[in-house]
Amino acid sequence: MRKFKWLVGIFIGLALIAALALARGPASIKQAKADFKDSATTYAKLCADCHGADLSGGLGSSLVDGIWDIAKTTPEIETIIADGNGEVGMPGFSDQLSSDQIQNLVQFIRQQKPAQKTKAVVNVGAIDAGLVKSEVWVDGLDTPWGLVFTGPNRALITEKSGQLRQVVDGKLLAKPVMNTPEVWAGGQGGLLDVAIDPDYTDNGWVYLVYSHPLQSGSDKTMTKLVRAKIKDNSWTDEQVLFAAKPEHYIKSRAHFGSRLTFDDKGHVFFGVGDRGRKNMAQDLTRPYGKIFRLKRDGRIPKDNPFLANSKAYPAIFSYGNRNPQGLIWTDGVLWETEHGPKGGDELNVIMPGVNYGWPVISYGRNYSGTELTPYTHMDGMEQPVSQWTPSIAVCGLDVVTGDMFKDWNGYLLVGALKYKEVRLVKTDGNKYVSEQIILKGKGRVRDVSMGPDGAIYVTLNSPGQILRLTPGGTTPNNKPNNKKDDK
Ligand code: HEC
């Protein structure tokens, strides 16, 4: 009997623990919301006079720009709020606020970041306005990745699984190009981008960037750049332009990049993602998380920025780039888009020798939602021109040219894989102005390309199609929305 009572005791105890655990979820969200409200009130009462009602600074510094001059870590920020710092004129509040209140206040300050960080305002309503009409141009592709036109109604298309397909007179040829390189098609790797030489009509060079297995069948892989000519539907005269050192081939399935573009000075640019080795994006002796620049025949340009460092990869042009998914050189500006983690997809202007900060600074968080880094800014690290939080999964990038979309000439086209969108980004020189969605919901957008006819071609994954976009004609004026943040 006594033993029985003991068991009942344990049972009740367990039931209580379970009930508490169940209650914790909603209760803690409620609690967090209450704390947030209290903190907002506390902030307005005690801090706003000096740090600004929107936390953007006044007599005291901005608390939302990601720059922490005095206090860097969360405990340090709590300490300065409690004890103050006479030297800089920051009063202490330990006599007015409990340590719990201070902790909540710091959480509150941290949570202000995303709202302040999102720069873009998107006129989502514009999709319904019929800015563009879309029709299927090519169908029946297996996860297409890159598209390049080789003439009117002629194109080359990469399929991630490894085939290079040809479109002739608007028809997809059944047979892929033969003898293309063996690719490692797994995870985020495979046959990636395709491009043609700016002097293609004279020299016939076709460039491919892809996930290369170290040996045939090996799962140690790295992004590789080659060029060759297509003769009798066969890949011939291949030249290797970039291959990583064998010891830098790794088993990671992630973040290969990659896109290709050319400037008007004889260079080819391409990007490689961090391969999931995020800290190595800051390491010039490693090829991960970089934008590279080569001469079109693979030679190293004499003015590449890191030639003085004998241990650095000489082809590195910029670093701290997480996973480049869009790259286009236009009018003297090299634009790049890259995937952030959870949040913080970036639009960058790539400049020689510049550090884009990954993973030291980022507007994103870990996929789990926890803090990846407290910093969005740091000396010596470049800010994105714009960034998307939450992530739209930027993919593919081109610039509008030609007569068909005259009013949009010079604007960027940004694909969004996850959001299944094409966005039109208005820029001014190398500055971001505004953006709007011009296509949504047709499929995962892998690439966007201007066609020689001036139409916009959208490469979709699921379904594996290329769409052709022409002006919709139902709006009086085809200009992107220019409204500033009206929040
Ligand atoms: C009398 C004006 C004043 C008030 C009120 C005030 N601060 Fe400050 N605070 C400052 C000044 C000045 C600095 C130093 C700014 C600098 O040079 O970075 C500072 C610094 C800080 C820092 C460190 C910033 C960094 O970059 O490391 C934090 C955090 C901070 N304040 C939070 C608060 C909070 C939270 C409150 C309200 C509870 C508050 N402050 C109220 C003036 C004030």
Side-chain angles (χ1 to χ4, degrees):
M1 189 62 192
R2 193 183 271 169
K3 197 173 173 192
F4 183 62
K5 265 189 187 160
W6 187 69
L7 273 173
V8 168
I10 288 183
F11 183 74
I12 291 173
L14 283 173
L16 266 173
I17 290 170
L20 271 172
L22 277 176
R24 242 185 92 199
S28 67
I29 293 172
K30 224 170 143 191
Q31 187 59 45
K33 282 187 177 161
D35 290 346
F36 188 90
K37 226 173 134 193
D38 288 347
S39 299
T41 312
T42 308
Y43 179 85
K45 211 164 69 191
L46 300 178
C47 325
D49 277 351
C50 291
H51 289 282
D54 61 356
L55 293 81
S56 65
L59 175 65
S61 51
S62 167
L63 300 176
V64 286
D65 59 4
I67 303 172
W68 299 98
D69 296 317
I70 309 156
K72 289 199 163 46
T73 61
T74 297
E76 283 169 10
I77 297 173
E78 287 167 8
T79 306
I80 192 172
I81 295 170
D83 301 339
N85 182 327
E87 253 171 67
V88 296
M90 163 70 188
F93 293 92
S94 57
D95 53 341
Q96 297 174 62
L97 299 171
S98 70
S99 64
D100 273 351
Q101 282 175 309
I102 291 178
Q103 274 177 22
N104 291 338
L105 194 53
V106 173
Q107 287 311 312
F108 166 80
I109 292 170
R110 292 260 197 232
Q111 282 164 9
Q112 298 307 299
K113 283 201 288 186
Q116 299 283 330
K117 283 168 166 183
T118 311
K119 291 180 196 162
V121 160
V122 177
N123 180 3
V124 179
I127 327 163
D128 306 325
L131 290 175
V132 297
K133 282 188 301 217
S134 80
E135 60 187 319
V136 176
W137 184 60
V138 170
D139 204 355
L141 293 160
D142 171 22
T143 319
W145 226 90
L147 162 72
V148 68
F149 283 87
T150 52
N153 251 345
R154 286 182 79 94
L156 291 166
I157 300 167
T158 52
E159 290 174 323
K160 184 174 173 287
S161 51
Q163 294 76 241
L164 180 60
R165 307 292 300 268
Q166 293 205 70
V167 176
V168 177
D169 296 332
K171 295 248 151 33
L172 180 70
L173 301 189
K175 226 174 163 191
V177 177
M178 293 176 300
N179 301 318
T180 50
E182 177 188 340
V183 310
W184 183 84
Q188 298 173 353
L191 184 53
L192 305 175
D193 207 13
V194 57
I196 55 168
D197 196 279
D199 300 317
Y200 174 76
T201 35
D202 298 329
N203 63 27
W205 286 117
V206 177
Y207 296 69
L208 284 179
V209 67
Y210 65 100
S211 311
H212 172 236
L214 185 55
Q215 283 107 27
S216 182
S218 163
D219 57 359
K220 286 191 169 177
T221 56
M222 206 26 215
T223 312
K224 183 176 177 180
L225 174 65
V226 297
R227 70 174 181 180
K229 297 178 184 184
I230 297 172
K231 287 179 192 156
D232 304 326
N233 203 37
S234 182
W235 184 253
T236 49
D237 304 329
E238 181 181 283
Q239 297 177 348
V240 175
L241 307 184
F242 176 89
K245 296 172 185 167
E247 62 268 32
H248 294 154
Y249 277 65
I250 51 175
K251 283 188 177 173
S252 159
R253 300 169 65 81
H255 302 178
F256 292 86
S258 179
R259 290 284 169 198
L260 285 164
T261 191
F262 302 90
D263 67 8
D264 60 356
K265 299 195 171 64
H267 300 117
V268 54
F269 298 88
F270 69 104
V272 177
D274 71 4
R275 305 295 319 279
R277 307 286 196 272
K278 62 181 182 197
N279 293 328
M280 291 185 184
Q282 291 292 318
D283 182 347
L284 296 171
T285 70
R286 294 292 197 284
Y288 323 124
K290 310 290 184 315
I291 302 291
F292 295 97
R293 181 177 74 169
L294 293 166
K295 299 226 180 196
R296 289 188 229 152
D297 61 6
R299 280 179 300 148
I300 303 290
K302 290 209 165 53
D303 55 349
N304 262 14
F306 297 109
L307 298 185
N309 176 348
S310 63
K311 294 204 180 92
Y313 267 81
I316 294 176
F317 191 67
S318 76
Y319 64 113
N321 300 103
R322 185 175 181 274
N323 192 18
Q325 293 293 314
L327 196 63
I328 184 78
W329 184 93
T330 177
D331 226 4
V333 182
L334 182 60
W335 296 96
E336 181 241 22
T337 51
E338 63 183 60
H339 282 177
K342 191 181 174 71
D345 283 8
E346 295 185 356
L347 174 67
N348 290 306
V349 168
I350 300 294
M351 294 168 288
V354 168
N355 181 359
Y356 290 83
W358 174 255
V360 183
I361 59 171
S362 173
Y363 288 86
R365 305 178 76 81
N366 289 314
Y367 287 117
S368 62
T370 57
E371 184 176 84
L372 182 127
T373 167
Y375 311 116
T376 54
H377 294 60
M378 197 159 286
D379 276 355
M381 296 183 190
E382 188 65 26
Q383 282 293 300
V385 171
S386 186
Q387 56 90 17
W388 290 271
T389 302
S391 295
I392 61 174
V394 286
C395 235
L397 186 64
D398 208 344
V399 61
V400 181
T401 52
D403 290 340
M404 201 181 280
F405 290 101
K406 237 195 207 116
D407 289 340
W408 296 349
N409 265 215
Y411 295 179
L412 297 172
L413 295 164
V414 175
L417 195 64
K418 190 169 70 190
Y419 274 40
K420 303 183 178 171
E421 291 169 359
V422 175
R423 296 194 177 193
L424 180 70
V425 174
K426 183 178 179 179
T427 56
D428 177 11
N430 55 13
K431 300 227 158 42
Y432 173 98
V433 178
S434 63
E435 77 188 76
Q436 70 180 169
I437 299 165
I438 60 167
L439 185 80
K440 189 174 178 72
K442 299 282 182 184
R444 287 163 66 81
V445 175
R446 180 56 77 177
D447 199 10
V448 276
S449 325
M450 288 310 297
D453 57 351
I456 297 166
Y457 290 80
V458 183
T459 301
L460 298 181
N461 292 169
S462 57
Q465 288 179 341
I466 315 279
L467 300 183
R468 179 172 181 266
L469 309 188
T470 50
T474 59
T475 41
N477 124 27
N478 281 355
K479 290 211 170 78
N481 177 283
N482 228 336
K483 240 173 26 189
K484 282 267 147 44
D485 196 334
D486 52 4
K487 252 190 302 184

